[in-house]
């Protein structure tokens, strides 16, 4: 087999310049491999009026320049366990397919009349064969036609950069390119508009930016599940 | 297209326990005949819930109840029965109207057995939810009770005082004032047989079509069966203790007109804890 062109070029270079050549090549490779920008994080904290942490709040970051990477969508899952949606709140990027498995002994009929997605899964048990694709941003409220108290929320984000707060009221949106972002928060009990929570943060100046919101929460409005005692009289 | 394994029935169970105070257990008009008492109450039920279609739910249940009175032990009761309920929603959604048909049969046994017997209740109800925190319904009921024992005290007049039949109409509404507190109100109008227990009373005697001794209240008390109309207003406060329990306070004010001249009023206050499992 004849030597390759690279092998022939390498053989043509004398030993000392060959070392210089190698160092230069490595340096070039190192420069090329270095990320164009260091990734940054937005660390969000959401509390209520009393300073208590707020769980299940969705924090969304939208680049001011509108440039957002395309993230491949993986199926998300909203389960039904003990006649409740689990998780009660899920955040997904627009275009995400969601599967609605039913792990209860009783069949469910899941529906939504929300503008962001109207759909109905006719009465079923087990796992629907096809997921539902959530193709418009917004909040989708889920219900079950059999169990009126069941309620779930799907936050469909137009941005791939979002996170949901945990029990400690904290959420981190990691791996963001260093630029300006408009961040906002949504919660199912939020009193006021989501847009009113908008803040601008600059990840070009700091690798980690903390942002905090104090939300006024309304009582949750859902159909009551607790038993109601009824007493029978006699005549 | 769905992967749909064989749907099984869901099971449910519940229990409650508490106290009820009734200020006119005898359903008497005259103060001298009125007897009030407090009872401890327990109840348990369980059953199966089926979902034949996306708009229909069917429940089959078994239930048992008991009451133990502080003074009038003759009224101590145990009862058991079975019920079935079908509900149909006219469409999909939380707020669509619905209709429900319920049937319940039970047998009750009292310490003083003049009240022993079977009971049949049928209810047709239509309702609608107006948002997540308010719902209302209207309905009609039929009730039928058969007495096990016939112990006439007057020749020619039946002793089956507790053979009763009636029908009623009702309206109810419930509002979740907060996520924990529900206020419910209900109004019933019932036409049918009622039983008033008094000492010997000529007026009532002439109007009644069945008479029996009612030793639960004393040796000189007699139970009279009459036709009457009862209007009942009920207020219920239910405080949720999580999603599986609640504390319930119920006040019911019933006014009965049995015939021209015989009116009586009874008020019952119930405090009970309810659980669902």
């Amino acid at each position: 087999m004849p030597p390759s062109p690279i092998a022939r070029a390498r053989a043509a270079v004398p030993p000392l310049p060959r070392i210089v050549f190698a160092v230069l090549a490595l340096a070039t490779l190192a420069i090329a491999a270095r990320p164009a920008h260091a990734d940054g994080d937005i660390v969000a904290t959401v509390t209520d009026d009393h300073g208590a942490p707020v769980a299940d709040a969705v924090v969304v970051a939208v680049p001011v320049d509108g440039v957002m990477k395309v993230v491949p969508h993986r199926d998300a899952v909203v389960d039904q366990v003990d006649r409740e949606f689990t998780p009660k709140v899920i955040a997904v990027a627009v275009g995400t397919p969601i599967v609605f498995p039913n792990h209860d002994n009783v069949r469910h009929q899941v529906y939504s009349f929300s503008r962001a997605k109207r759909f109905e899964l006719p009465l079923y048990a087990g796992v629907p064969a096809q997921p539902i694709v959530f193709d418009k941003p917004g909040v989708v409220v889920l219900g079950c036609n059999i169990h009126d108290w069941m309620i779930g929320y799907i936050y469909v984000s137009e941005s791939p950069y979002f996170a949901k707060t945990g029990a400690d009221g904290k959420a981190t949106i990691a791996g963001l390119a260093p630029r300006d972002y408009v961040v906002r928060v949504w919660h199912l009990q939020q009193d006021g508009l989501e847009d009113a929570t908008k803040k601008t943060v600059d990840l070009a100046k700091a690798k980690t930016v903390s942002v905090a919101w104090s939300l006024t929460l309304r009582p949750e409005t859902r159909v009551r599940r607790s038993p109601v005692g009824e007493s029978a009289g006699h005549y | 297209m769905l992967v749909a394994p064989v749907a099984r029935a869901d099971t449910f169970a519940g229990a409650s326990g508490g106290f009820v105070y009734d200020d006119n257990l005898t359903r008497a008009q005259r103060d001298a005949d009125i007897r009030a008492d407090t009872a401890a109450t327990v109840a348990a039920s369980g059953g199966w819930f089926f979902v034949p279609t996306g708009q229909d739910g069917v429940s089959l249940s078994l239930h048992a109840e008991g009451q133990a009175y502080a003074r009038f032990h003759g009224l101590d009761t145990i009862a058991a029965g079975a019920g079935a309920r079908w509900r149909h929603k006219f469409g999909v959604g939380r707020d669509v109207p619905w209709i429900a048909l319920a049937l319940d049969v039970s047998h009750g046994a009292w310490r003083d057995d003049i009240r022993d017997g079977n009971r049949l209740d049928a209810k047709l109800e239509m309702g609608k939810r107006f948002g997540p925190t308010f719902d209302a319904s209207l309905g009609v009921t039929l009730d039928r009770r058969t007495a096990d024992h016939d112990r006439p005290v007057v020749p020619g007049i039946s002793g089956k005082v507790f053979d009763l039949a009636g029908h009623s109409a009702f309206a109810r509404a419930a509002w979740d004032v907060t996520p924990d507190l529900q206020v419910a109100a209900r109004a019933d109008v019932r036409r049918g047989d009622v039983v008033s227990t008094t000492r010997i009373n000529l007026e009532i005697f002439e109007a009644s079509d069945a008479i029996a001794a009612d030793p639960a209240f004393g040796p000189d008390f007699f139970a009279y069966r009459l036709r009457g109309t009862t209007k009942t207003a009920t207020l219920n406060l239910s405080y949720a203790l999580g999603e599986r329990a609640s504390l319930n306070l119920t006040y019911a004010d019933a006014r009965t007109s049995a015939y021209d001249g015989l009116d009586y009023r009874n008020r019952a206050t119930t405090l009970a804890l309810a659980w669902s499992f």
Side-chain angles (χ1 to χ4, degrees):
Chain A
M1 181 184 286
S4 69
I6 292 175
R8 282 201 302 271
R10 192 188 289 165
V13 179
L16 187 59
R18 194 182 295 168
I19 294 169
V20 173
F21 175 82
V23 169
L24 285 173
L26 283 173
T28 305
L29 280 174
I31 289 167
R34 196 188 68 173
H37 310 283
D39 288 347
D41 300 341
I42 294 173
V43 178
T45 304
V46 184
T47 55
D48 65 11
D49 284 340
H50 307 290
V54 173
D56 285 342
V58 179
V59 180
V60 179
V62 180
V64 171
D65 59 16
V67 177
M68 291 184 274
K69 65 181 177 186
V70 177
V71 179
H73 300 299
R74 285 182 295 182
D75 283 7
V77 174
V78 175
D79 210 336
Q80 293 145 78
V81 178
D82 190 23
R83 287 141 286 176
E84 298 285 359
F85 289 111
T86 304
K88 184 176 177 182
V89 176
I90 188 171
V92 298
V94 72
T96 300
I98 298 184
V99 185
F100 294 88
N102 174 3
H103 282 97
D104 282 327
N105 285 340
V106 68
R107 293 190 287 178
H108 292 298
Q109 177 153 330
V110 178
Y111 67 86
S112 172
F113 297 136
S114 300
R115 274 190 295 180
K117 189 71 183 180
R118 290 176 68 93
F119 72 97
E120 188 181 331
L121 287 172
L123 196 64
Y124 71 100
V127 184
Q130 299 296 329
I132 303 287
V133 176
F134 288 80
D135 46 10
K136 285 184 198 164
V139 177
V140 178
V141 182
L142 303 173
C144 171
N145 207 39
I146 307 302
H147 308 91
D148 285 337
W149 69 80
M150 286 177 66
I151 190 165
Y153 299 87
I154 299 172
Y155 187 97
V156 185
S157 168
E158 80 278 26
S159 165
Y161 314 121
F162 57 83
K164 192 176 78 169
T165 57
D168 59 357
K170 292 186 182 300
T172 300
I173 307 174
L176 297 172
R179 61 173 80 126
D180 288 343
Y181 292 85
V182 173
V183 290
R184 62 179 195 264
V185 64
W186 171 87
H187 188 270
L188 66 99
Q189 293 170 252
Q190 190 169 339
D191 190 15
L193 296 173
E194 182 185 354
D195 277 354
T197 66
K198 282 181 176 175
K199 298 179 180 187
T200 303
V201 299
D202 184 358
L203 271 183
K205 292 179 181 168
K207 187 170 167 51
T208 299
V209 173
S210 295
V211 60
W213 287 274
S214 174
L215 299 182
T216 299
L217 301 182
R218 297 168 303 198
E220 186 183 358
T221 53
R222 63 176 289 185
V223 175
R224 178 179 154 135
R225 187 176 178 179
S226 310
V228 177
E230 290 187 6
S231 56
H234 67 274
Y235 298 98
Chain B
M1 189 171 172
L2 304 174
V3 175
V6 176
R8 290 163 284 174
D10 202 11
T11 55
F12 61 88
S16 67
F19 297 92
V20 56
Y21 172 77
D22 193 316
D23 73 350
N24 186 2
L25 280 168
T26 44
R27 307 299 189 246
Q29 181 184 38
R30 297 174 181 167
D31 288 348
D33 295 327
I34 290 174
R35 295 290 182 269
D37 200 1
T38 299
T41 64
V42 292
S45 63
W48 301 268
F49 180 60
F50 304 89
V51 185
T53 78
Q55 281 79 49
D56 298 278
V58 176
S59 59
L60 302 175
S61 61
L62 301 170
H63 58 87
E65 300 85 33
Q67 289 191 328
Y69 281 83
R71 290 174 58 203
F72 299 106
H73 300 299
L75 298 177
D76 293 352
T77 323
I78 54 170
R85 183 175 187 263
W86 163 73
R87 186 177 85 139
H88 175 77
K89 287 173 84 172
F90 295 99
V92 176
R94 181 195 60 201
D95 298 342
V96 297
W98 53 266
I99 188 168
L101 183 63
L103 199 64
D104 189 272
V105 292
S106 61
H107 181 80
W110 278 256
R111 184 172 293 224
D112 282 338
D113 62 8
I114 189 67
R115 286 174 169 78
D116 288 3
N118 298 315
R119 183 176 173 125
L120 169 72
D121 290 280
K123 180 165 71 173
L124 178 67
E125 187 175 11
M126 293 181 71
K128 184 181 180 340
R129 180 167 282 286
F130 301 88
T133 59
F134 188 85
D135 77 287
S137 63
L138 301 165
V140 292
T141 68
L142 293 172
D143 62 88
R144 178 84 176 90
R145 194 168 151 185
T146 58
D148 288 351
H149 308 292
D150 184 4
R151 298 194 182 118
V153 292
V154 179
I157 297 181
S158 169
K160 286 193 164 187
V161 171
F162 289 96
D163 250 4
L164 305 171
H167 54 275
S168 61
F170 69 88
R172 56 164 288 282
W175 175 40
D176 293 334
V177 182
T178 71
D180 296 324
L181 179 64
Q182 183 184 85
V183 177
R186 176 175 169 136
D188 290 71
V189 178
R190 178 182 179 273
R191 179 70 184 157
D193 299 317
V194 297
V195 176
S196 180
T197 296
T198 70
R199 294 185 177 87
I200 290 174
N201 181 321
L202 187 59
E203 272 186 279
I204 297 178
F205 172 79
E206 289 175 342
S208 64
D209 58 3
I211 304 171
D214 193 353
F217 296 105
D220 51 346
F221 277 79
F222 293 88
Y224 301 88
R225 186 177 68 197
L226 311 152
R227 292 289 289 176
T229 300
T230 302
K231 297 175 182 172
T232 307
T234 306
L235 185 68
N236 178 262
L237 301 178
S238 180
Y239 188 80
L241 305 168
E243 297 213 320
R244 300 303 178 95
S246 64
L247 182 63
N248 299 277
L249 178 64
T250 305
Y251 176 78
D253 186 341
R255 295 163 190 262
T256 299
S257 300
Y259 68 94
D260 193 27
L262 175 65
D263 299 325
Y264 62 76
R265 180 182 185 188
N266 64 284
R267 287 158 291 196
T269 306
T270 306
L271 182 65
L273 271 169
W275 296 270
S276 64
F277 305 107

